[in-house]
Amino acid sequence: MNAFHIGGDLEVRRLGFGAMHLPTEPGPARENSLAVARRAVELGVTLIDTAYMYGGGANEELLVEALHPYPDELLVTTKVGVARSGPSGEWKLDGRPDVLRDQVERALLRLRVERIELLQLHRIDPETPLADQVGTLRDLRDEGKIGRIGLSEVTVDELDRARGIVDIASVQNRYNLLDREHEPVLAACTAAGIAFLPWRPVAWGGSGATAEVAAVAAELDATPTQVALAWLLGHSPVVLPIPGTARLDHLEENVAAEHLQLTPAQRDRLDALCEAA
């Protein structure tokens, strides 16, 4: 299936777009970023991932310039919980309730929405009780400022504890063809019907240089990137890859991977790569 319902009701196309790598500085690079974001929507992408940390809100503002007013079917999901609160103003995890609340309020203004349909906690702050962090997001949901709540870079235990406090609609962990450290988390999400958004879904320098991936790509007249994305889409029905790029040709290559069909034998060969890695 090419569609998934986040939280059971919010329908998105399974292959999304990660906006992190889009340059936001004024000039030709920014104009290209605007073109890439708009082209993603033209190609049918309905899930775009951003975060406050990506430029301190600059990435969110770029997407607003490119896409607002948003098409009805478009979901722009953002993340909070990282702030410039270190000793020298460096980024650090900060899940204190007042910080999370302030970041959500500012995100609503930047994104020009009344409700963030999917809001993810960028990381769990080890210095703040999990119940305080997730509880704050639950309160914001109850106030109508958040539609659904997600987590990022969590363990199975952390996911279980969070689900004891509030419904969790998504998890965003690092995961790809050769990096399956979070397979237990994906299994938990699959069992519960929770959307799993793998970040770094294509680990080139790793799987891009793997002979087996190149061989499968040649058999399908595809690229290694497309093979890696197709593998993710077929690995679990809850996987929603969000490959990012600042190049139009790479964007079109990524989106086309949605239609690539791996044979059972090819999938078996790719499944075995993790064991050999």
Side-chain angles (χ1 to χ4, degrees):
M1 288 181 60
N2 290 333
F4 183 83
H5 292 83
I6 299 176
D9 62 345
L10 184 61
E11 182 174 337
V12 295
R13 188 170 168 178
R14 285 184 62 202
L15 205 153
F17 175 72
M20 180 179 71
H21 297 295
L22 294 178
T24 59
E25 302 79 8
R30 182 184 180 89
E31 294 304 312
N32 178 74
S33 294
L34 296 171
V36 169
R38 291 169 181 150
R39 181 59 177 154
V41 173
E42 289 174 1
L43 291 170
V45 169
T46 58
L47 167 61
I48 295 182
D49 175 81
T50 183
Y52 170 64
M53 185 182 176
Y54 306 160
N59 196 268
E60 295 169 326
E61 292 168 349
L62 175 82
L63 293 175
V64 170
E65 181 179 344
L67 303 171
H68 193 274
Y70 309 114
D72 290 341
E73 67 276 9
L74 181 63
L75 168 66
V76 176
T77 175
T78 193
K79 298 183 283 294
V80 297
V82 183
R84 288 190 181 278
S85 51
S88 303
E90 71 271 17
W91 291 101
K92 70 183 291 288
L93 303 184
D94 197 335
R96 292 173 294 172
D98 58 331
V99 171
L100 295 180
R101 182 171 286 275
D102 179 67
Q103 288 190 355
V104 169
E105 296 284 2
R106 292 177 183 273
L108 288 166
L109 294 173
R110 278 193 301 273
L111 292 171
R112 300 184 194 174
V113 293
E114 294 182 359
R115 183 170 82 164
I116 298 170
E117 292 300 336
L118 177 61
L119 188 284
Q120 301 182 103
L121 184 63
H122 209 141
R123 295 288 189 277
I124 291 176
D125 176 5
E127 297 181 5
T128 302
L130 175 65
D132 290 352
Q133 298 174 71
V134 178
T136 298
L137 299 184
R138 177 199 57 207
D139 293 345
L140 287 163
R141 184 202 62 182
D142 294 346
E143 294 166 21
K145 296 175 180 179
I146 295 172
R148 296 151 198 85
I149 296 167
L151 304 172
S152 182
E153 282 301 284
V154 292
T155 64
V156 172
D157 177 65
E158 289 167 338
L159 175 58
D160 286 345
R161 289 164 54 204
R163 293 181 68 203
I165 299 166
V166 70
D167 290 337
I168 298 299
S170 69
V171 168
Q172 186 167 335
N173 279 21
R174 188 189 70 250
Y175 186 88
N176 57 62
L177 180 57
L178 284 186
D179 182 356
R180 305 183 209 172
E181 174 187 350
H182 294 296
E183 192 76 44
V185 181
L186 173 55
C189 289
T190 303
I194 295 171
F196 186 88
L197 284 63
W199 64 267
R200 197 179 294 163
V202 181
W204 296 151
S207 46
T210 301
E212 197 66 71
V213 178
V216 171
E219 292 164 14
L220 295 169
D221 192 23
T223 66
T225 295
Q226 290 173 327
V227 168
L229 292 172
W231 179 84
L232 281 170
L233 289 168
H235 190 54
S236 166
V238 306
V239 171
L240 280 60
I242 47 170
T245 181
R247 288 179 49 171
L248 285 167
D249 57 338
H250 285 171
L251 169 67
E252 295 183 0
E253 173 188 343
N254 292 343
V255 173
E258 186 179 58
H259 305 291
L260 190 66
Q261 296 295 322
L262 300 173
T263 69
Q266 288 168 336
R267 183 163 292 282
D268 287 344
R269 287 155 60 193
L270 296 173
D271 286 346
L273 286 177
C274 192
E275 301 168 9

